[in-house]
Amino acid sequence: MLIDVALETVGRIGPIVVFLLSAAVLAEVSDRVGVFDAVAHWLARHARHRLLVLWLLFSAYAVTCTVFLSLDTTAVLLTPVALAVATQIDVPPRPFALTTLWIANTGSLLLPVSNLTNLLALTKFGELGIDHGAYVRLAFVPGMVCIASTLTLILALHPRMATARYEVDPPPEPHDARLLQIGMAICGVVGPAFAVGLAPWAVATSAAAVLLIATAIRAPHLLRSLPIPWFMAAGFGVLAVAVA
């Protein structure tokens, strides 16, 4: 009986573990090929030297990354980018750092793939007839209220952003242009694929595989010492089986 429970639990959480590993690889390789860096620099160049506009654009970018690429992507990978850009344009980094860290939490309510907890909840919601689409409809309004409240609080804590300006454009980082285009295209496809309800593990695995192959061909040095959260995934699996 215990073996049956363990096997049933492994079968249920297996796709979640695959998604967790694939999403981590996709986010890390995307960062290494320059996707996050390029978008952050684009935001800085197109904010017309107004700090408030830059922060709002960056906030929208952080929300998008969190919703479609998970809160870990925003908290771990986007935070260093935010700090680097703030340093390059000589503005206080604190509001940008707070945005990435807080949005990583509140922005992760909108889609099941935004947060591992959401995926776990969805496996139980399925027993109640709540599928991917129903989850999105239920979470949309509360999630948007949480995001708006977070951004309002950050702006209230840093009122000088409303009128501040910056004068130094950040220099673009050198990247493989073709590989960067491939990475941005893959990330652009992943978001809608998650949103329409395709299997998260299949989307993340396919995207990560394509980007890994492209990177191995054009810039294999970027794949050196690629961190894969095997220990975290194994710990999650063991804990899930133990709880069951």
Side-chain angles (χ1 to χ4, degrees):
M1 180 177 178
L2 291 178
I3 294 178
D4 292 337
V5 172
L7 292 176
E8 188 276 332
T9 302
V10 170
R12 179 165 53 85
I13 68 171
I16 299 177
V17 174
V18 173
F19 166 79
L20 178 66
L21 294 173
S22 299
V25 171
L26 175 61
E28 178 65 29
V29 179
S30 296
D31 179 57
R32 293 189 178 195
V33 304
V35 172
F36 303 128
D37 183 57
V39 174
H41 284 114
W42 184 93
L43 296 177
R45 291 195 302 271
H46 289 78
R48 299 182 180 275
H49 300 279
R50 297 181 181 274
L51 186 56
L52 179 61
V53 176
L54 173 60
W55 175 72
L56 290 174
L57 289 173
F58 181 81
S59 298
Y61 178 45
V63 170
T64 302
C65 285
T66 301
V67 171
F68 295 115
L69 294 177
S70 86
L71 72 140
D72 299 301
T73 300
T74 300
V76 176
L77 298 180
L78 196 58
T79 299
V81 175
L83 297 175
V85 171
T87 300
Q88 289 171 359
I89 63 176
D90 196 25
V91 299
R94 189 169 183 266
F96 291 89
L98 288 179
T99 299
T100 56
L101 294 176
W102 290 1
I103 287 297
N105 286 282
T106 56
S108 67
L109 299 174
L110 294 177
L111 285 182
V113 298
S114 307
N115 193 325
L116 178 60
T117 306
N118 300 353
L119 288 171
L120 290 173
L122 193 61
T123 62
K124 286 298 184 181
F125 289 163
E127 301 173 2
L128 304 176
I130 300 177
D131 58 10
H132 187 283
Y135 175 93
V136 173
R137 290 190 295 271
L138 287 171
F140 181 77
V141 173
M144 293 303 295
V145 169
C146 287
I147 292 171
S149 300
T150 298
L151 297 179
T152 300
L153 178 58
I154 293 174
L155 184 58
L157 292 174
H158 305 87
R160 293 183 179 180
M161 284 200 303
T163 57
R165 299 177 67 89
Y166 59 92
E167 299 298 335
V168 182
D169 284 325
E173 294 292 335
H175 297 292
D176 182 312
R178 181 59 59 85
L179 188 56
L180 176 59
Q181 291 171 355
I182 294 173
M184 296 189 75
I186 290 174
C187 290
V189 170
V190 163
F194 283 151
V196 299
L198 297 180
W201 70 268
V203 174
T205 302
S206 301
V210 172
L211 187 55
L212 281 171
I213 293 173
T215 306
I217 294 174
R218 295 193 62 88
H221 65 279
L222 294 178
L223 299 181
R224 294 172 187 163
S225 303
L226 187 67
I228 301 177
W230 298 112
F231 183 78
M232 181 175 64
F236 165 67
V238 171
L239 181 60
V241 171
V243 170

